[in-house]
Amino acid sequence: MKTQHPCDKDIQEYIFDTSNCSSDIIEHINSCEVCKKVSESYLLLSKELKSQPEPVLEFDLSELILDQLTFSKKESIYNYMLSFIIIMSIGITFFTIYIFRDVFSNMFSANITISNYFIVSITTIISLFLGFDMYRSYYKKINMLKY
């Protein structure tokens, strides 16, 4: 016989599922008074936990979850708003270029190089990217505050 006591996991396995328990552990628990008391206390604790009444919540959990689900449906409005803002920005940019086409043509007529067009297009792309990133981070922060 072992002189070392089985661990709590083995004792719990003996109490709740004896079929998976090894014969050495079963033999030790049946012969050792300390392990018998520990196993009886686990059994008593299990019975007491099962006899406890079900907890009653003071709030309706399903209603809270449904409120959060309906909130997530409102986020699609922000996606439409983002698309609207991008389209309006592009429209305003092209309208401004159309209105000030003489100024732009004079700016590029002195030194017509492909690098000027690259500078303008890269500046536009970077501006759109930064605007989109600011908009997205703003709504992330707003959504974090609402929870």
Side-chain angles (χ1 to χ4, degrees):
M1 180 168 68
K2 286 184 179 178
T3 58
Q4 191 177 19
H5 295 290
C7 64
D8 285 342
K9 179 185 173 209
D10 293 333
I11 295 174
Q12 290 173 10
E13 187 176 22
Y14 170 78
I15 294 296
F16 299 115
D17 192 14
T18 311
S19 62
N20 288 336
C21 194
S22 71
S23 60
D24 293 337
I25 294 174
I26 293 172
E27 186 179 318
H28 177 83
I29 292 176
N30 288 333
S31 63
C32 178
E33 288 298 319
V34 174
C35 292
K36 264 187 185 175
K37 286 185 181 184
V38 171
S39 66
E40 288 172 359
S41 65
Y42 274 125
L43 193 60
L44 180 67
L45 180 65
S46 172
K47 287 179 181 177
E48 287 296 320
L49 285 174
K50 287 180 182 177
S51 69
Q52 292 292 320
E54 290 290 324
V56 178
L57 300 175
E58 296 178 5
F59 54 88
D60 187 11
L61 186 61
S62 61
E63 184 179 325
L64 290 175
I65 292 173
L66 287 175
D67 285 344
Q68 288 184 356
L69 290 176
T70 56
F71 178 74
S72 64
K73 290 179 183 178
K74 292 179 184 177
E75 288 183 30
S76 63
I77 293 172
Y78 297 127
N79 293 335
Y80 291 123
M81 191 182 327
L82 176 63
S83 301
F84 178 73
I85 289 173
I86 289 173
I87 290 170
M88 288 300 294
S89 299
I90 291 171
I92 290 171
T93 302
F94 282 121
F95 182 72
T96 306
I97 290 172
Y98 178 74
I99 295 294
F100 295 108
R101 65 184 177 271
D102 295 333
V103 174
F104 283 116
S105 65
N106 289 337
M107 180 173 67
F108 290 113
S109 66
N111 207 358
I112 301 177
T113 61
I114 195 79
S115 63
N116 288 342
Y117 293 114
F118 280 134
I119 291 171
V120 170
S121 62
I122 289 173
T123 304
T124 305
I125 290 171
I126 290 174
S127 298
L128 288 174
F129 176 75
L130 289 175
F132 174 73
D133 188 49
M134 282 192 312
Y135 181 81
R136 190 183 58 165
S137 66
Y138 169 75
Y139 277 105
K140 268 187 183 176
K141 292 174 184 175
I142 289 297
N143 286 335
M144 286 173 50
L145 289 176
K146 288 183 181 178
Y147 288 114

